[in-house]
Amino acid sequence: MSLKLGVIGTGAIGQDHIRRCSQTLLGSQVVAVTDINLASAAKVVSDYKLGAEVYPDGHALIKAADVEALLVTSWGPSHEEFVLAAIAAGKPVFCEKPLAVTAAGCRRIVEAEIAHGKRLVQVGFMRPYDAGYQALKAVIDSGQIGEPLMLHCAHRNPRVGENYKTDMAITDTLIHELDVLRWLLADDYVSVQVVFPRKTSKALAHLRDPQVVLLETARGTRIDVEVFVNCQYGYDIQCEVVGESGIARLPEPSQVQLRSEAKLSNAILMDWKERFIAAYDVELQAFIDGVRAGRVGGPSAWDGFAAAVAADACIQAQNSGQIVKIELPERPGFYA
Ligand code: NAP
């Protein structure tokens, strides 16, 4: 029997996940959708020939008897209330990042899930499902390069729109590094400083771009992440791990190598959706398979909380220019 899914939010990623569930992945069926714009939800039902019911709002959809699990893909500020309602209904929920827009909101979800007594929440951090990051983690865990001492990372986008503000470099962009690097190193952050190099002339007046985020972990590993969202040339994710006896780099996405017009070249992707398209498939298939097997795994509500705590400190560091402590409470045994 297919897992019957309800989807809250039929914007860009909501539609992409609906396409995935209905055309690419195995074992699920979208039976219910809603969006603050009901006409958009109805259009998605028709475009994808879902035969799903359109509900007036997220809460009505969560309560629907035939909805067995939820995908929350609405805008960030609405995530907390829908995830809490799903937990109250005892239904597994895949929630796109951010789990909640504040660390306090994430903490409320953590507490509700612990009170429920069983994991129900998977957060939509997809990079741990990327084959490249998995290969990099396998090398680190094998001990081949010794203990990781330093990480040099970059998160570059060709350009961003007018609505993108300086703090979104943390909450929308760096948030993926905050999650995946913690997973990669199995370590937590203890401090952060943000420094701003000379500003690019390609950024709009209100935006400070690029920026460099300097993180320190509990075991003393130092991480620098360059966030540069108007780099022009492509969507480029870099991660180099310097260990005691070697260096490991995140593999480049597979591209045809071209010899043409006296040049040897590899194309660079421009669109983030293409860079992690396979990882999105794997993360959502893992959620579907997990729920069908009676267990939810992957990035947890605690991981969502940890990323939010680190993000809050990064924003403080952006504003103060100082080194800011990142104080994460002890992880509850529930998430061991
Ligand atoms: P989007 O295109 O703006 O879609 C969000 C949709 O949710 C819109 O249709 C919006 O309606 C609707 N919505 C807002 N409040 C709602 C509510 N209370 N109930 C029902 N629907 C509501 O944004 P998006 O790019 O899909 O992003 C959605 C979420 O996914 C964000 O949290 C984003 O950070 C996350 N995301 C994650 C990744 C990733 O790499 N994991 C990638 C992209 C997005 P209106 O447009 O009418 O407001």
Side-chain angles (χ1 to χ4, degrees), residues 11-13 35-36 73-75 79 96-98 124 126 176 272 280:
I13 197 97
D35 191 279
I36 206 139
T73 51
S74 48
W75 78 311
H79 291 182
E96 262 310 332
K97 62 90 186 158
M126 73 296 182
H176 286 292
W272 55 267
Y280 289 115

Side-chain angles (χ1 to χ4, degrees), residues 41-318:
K43 182 168 183 319
V44 170
V45 169
S46 147
D47 286 354
Y48 288 91
K49 300 182 178 47
L50 296 177
E53 188 161 344
V54 176
Y55 283 82
D57 60 60
H59 293 284
L61 178 144
I62 290 166
K63 286 190 197 122
D66 63 340
V67 169
E68 295 170 323
L70 286 314
L71 305 186
V72 174
T73 51
S74 48
W75 78 311
S78 65
H79 291 182
E80 180 184 348
E81 65 168 289
F82 293 136
V83 173
L84 286 173
I87 294 171
K91 296 187 181 182
V93 52
F94 174 93
C95 178
E96 262 310 332
K97 62 90 186 158
L99 179 59
V101 287
T102 62
C106 293
R107 190 72 202 247
R108 283 189 283 276
I109 291 172
V110 161
E111 277 157 16
E113 192 178 41
I114 292 174
H116 175 77
K118 190 175 168 217
R119 265 197 68 182
L120 289 176
V121 181
Q122 178 176 332
V123 183
F125 285 128
M126 73 296 182
R127 288 207 198 167
Y129 294 95
D130 173 68
Y133 275 108
Q134 289 186 349
L136 185 58
K137 185 167 175 60
V139 168
I140 296 170
D141 291 351
S142 73
Q144 224 178 317
I145 61 164
E147 290 297 322
L149 308 175
M150 293 173 281
L151 270 64
H152 306 300
C153 308
H155 188 145
R156 303 191 188 113
N157 294 59
R159 58 194 58 85
V160 288
E162 235 177 280
N163 293 336
Y164 191 100
K165 306 280 176 347
T166 299
D167 61 348
M168 289 167 73
I170 306 296
T171 55
D172 278 41
T173 304
L174 180 82
I175 195 78
H176 286 292
E177 271 76 18
L178 290 176
D179 176 67
V180 79
L181 301 180
R182 196 177 148 261
W183 167 83
L184 198 63
L185 297 173
D187 202 355
D188 279 312
Y189 310 118
V190 293
S191 76
V192 63
Q193 185 178 21
V194 179
V195 295
F196 293 93
R198 180 180 171 187
K199 180 179 158 163
T200 169
S201 63
K202 310 286 185 193
L204 293 171
H206 68 267
L207 181 65
R208 300 180 79 182
D209 185 45
Q211 43 191 290
V212 180
V213 181
L214 304 165
L215 292 151
E216 182 188 7
T217 73
R219 288 207 283 272
T221 303
R222 292 283 181 167
I223 302 169
D224 53 89
V225 187
E226 170 202 314
V227 180
F228 186 12
V229 295
N230 287 283
C231 80
Q232 311 293 304
Y233 73 85
Y235 180 72
D236 194 8
I237 301 299
Q238 299 288 327
C239 180
E240 179 181 88
V241 183
V242 180
E244 294 169 294
S245 54
I247 291 175
R249 281 190 77 97
L250 181 69
E252 293 290 340
S254 155
Q255 293 289 322
V256 170
Q257 202 184 59
L258 194 62
R259 286 172 161 80
S260 170
E261 298 183 349
K263 285 197 191 86
L264 178 61
S265 62
N266 281 84
I268 296 177
L269 295 173
M270 292 298 281
D271 187 343
W272 55 267
K273 275 198 207 123
E274 284 172 47
R275 172 66 178 84
F276 289 109
I277 194 161
Y280 289 115
D281 286 350
V282 181
E283 72 165 351
L284 213 47
Q285 188 68 66
F287 176 73
I288 293 163
D289 294 347
V291 173
R292 293 178 79 202
R295 50 169 174 75
V296 174
S300 66
W302 183 258
D303 297 321
F305 171 63
V309 168
D312 284 356
C314 291
I315 290 173
Q316 236 183 297
Q318 276 185 331

